[in-house]
Amino acid sequence: MRISTCLSNLGINDASPFAVCDAISEEFNVIKQIYFAKILKEHPDKGGDAAVFRATRAAWQVLRDLYDKGSIKKDTFTSYLGGPTTRAKSANVSYDENYDSSDNDDDNYDDDDDDDEDLA
């Protein structure tokens, strides 16, 4: 699953949520807050769609795993959103946006570009 897709599944489509962030840890905390707010609304027990809930949870798991492993390129999530980054030190550095599931011990993630509704 692409990192930009994971961010989009959480409702993050531009860098505005990260405007005041000075470090990747602050960006991760913003992502975590957005995830928990979104997952509460989407939970099937709260009337949400189970497939949307699973996609949101899968996106969070990929982003969390990448953050925990220190595998976010350019040390910023905003670099995966296609716009300018919030921190100057990460400008003009190339990166590969695809998550390499071979680095994951669990192999629970799908690294293709398809819309995956079967993610647990």
Side-chain angles (χ1 to χ4, degrees), residues 63-117:
L63 294 171
R64 184 187 61 200
D65 183 54
L66 288 169
Y67 176 77
D68 288 346
K69 289 182 177 185
S71 298
I72 299 300
K73 307 292 186 203
K74 297 167 66 171
D75 292 326
T76 178
F77 285 98
T78 59
S79 64
Y80 297 97
L81 294 171
T85 62
T86 58
R87 295 192 301 277
K89 72 175 186 177
S90 59
N92 298 324
V93 178
S94 64
Y95 64 93
D96 179 11
E97 186 180 67
N98 292 313
Y99 174 62
D100 182 2
S101 64
S102 65
D103 291 339
N104 183 3
D105 297 333
D106 298 334
D107 287 334
N108 289 331
Y109 307 121
D110 184 23
D111 64 344
D112 63 26
D113 294 334
D114 296 339
D115 289 336
D116 298 315
E117 295 183 9

Side-chain angles (χ1 to χ4, degrees), residues 34-52:
I34 291 170
Y35 165 73
F36 282 116
K38 190 171 192 311
I39 208 76
L40 284 175
K41 293 176 187 175
E42 294 176 350
H43 198 283
D45 291 346
K46 303 285 185 181
D49 183 278
V52 173

Side-chain angles (χ1 to χ4, degrees), residues 1-14 17-18 27-42 51-67 72 77 81:
M1 182 183 299
R2 294 173 61 104
I3 294 171
S4 59
T5 302
C6 292
L7 292 168
S8 181
N9 283 351
L10 295 179
I12 302 170
N13 297 307
D14 60 42
F18 306 120
E27 289 181 1
F28 183 73
N29 286 333
V30 168
I31 292 169
K32 189 184 328 184
Q33 290 172 351
I34 291 170
Y35 165 73
F36 282 116
K38 190 171 192 311
I39 208 76
L40 284 175
K41 293 176 187 175
E42 294 176 350
V52 173
F53 176 81
R54 284 191 305 269
T56 300
R57 193 177 66 201
W60 163 250
Q61 290 171 339
V62 169
L63 294 171
R64 184 187 61 200
D65 183 54
L66 288 169
Y67 176 77
I72 299 300
F77 285 98
L81 294 171

